[in-house]
Amino acid sequence: MLNLAFALGMIFVYLILATLAVTIRLGWGGQFSSLTFNIVLVSVVFAFALSFLGVWEIPIPGFSTTPGPDGTQQEGAVGAFSKGVLTTVLATPCSGP
């Protein structure tokens, strides 16, 4: 089920890109020519990098995790969907050109 949620996150991003391509004739990877889009994307990646370095911790919302059998937190469907969205947004500049 988590794999399906991850795939739906990826499909969601591609549907948004397809909608933009049809409605405003924005070509594949064209959103990366927008300074605003690039600043937002750099900010998100920078915040995650600082979290990985231990500067702060970005807590995962409770609704995106489910308790495991041993009391630990496991990724829920919302977390998997969010990872699918983030993975697709970060990988699009590599596949777009």
Side-chain angles (χ1 to χ4, degrees):
M1 291 310 293
L2 293 179
N3 290 335
L4 180 61
F6 183 85
L8 287 174
M10 294 173 64
I11 292 169
F12 178 73
V13 172
Y14 285 119
L15 285 175
I16 290 174
L17 291 174
T19 303
L20 290 174
V22 170
T23 58
I24 61 174
R25 303 204 186 278
L26 184 62
W28 182 254
Q31 66 277 9
F32 290 95
S33 64
S34 166
L35 182 62
T36 305
F37 183 82
N38 285 331
I39 289 173
V40 169
L41 194 58
V42 166
S43 299
V44 168
V45 172
F46 186 69
F48 284 151
L50 290 178
S51 176
F52 286 141
L53 293 172
V55 174
W56 66 58
E57 182 177 337
I58 300 174
I60 298 173
F63 63 84
S64 67
T65 60
T66 55
D70 58 354
T72 61
Q73 295 290 318
Q74 296 177 350
E75 180 180 85
V78 174
F81 181 85
S82 301
K83 283 185 180 179
V85 168
L86 185 63
T87 300
T88 306
V89 170
L90 292 176
T92 299
C94 300
S95 62

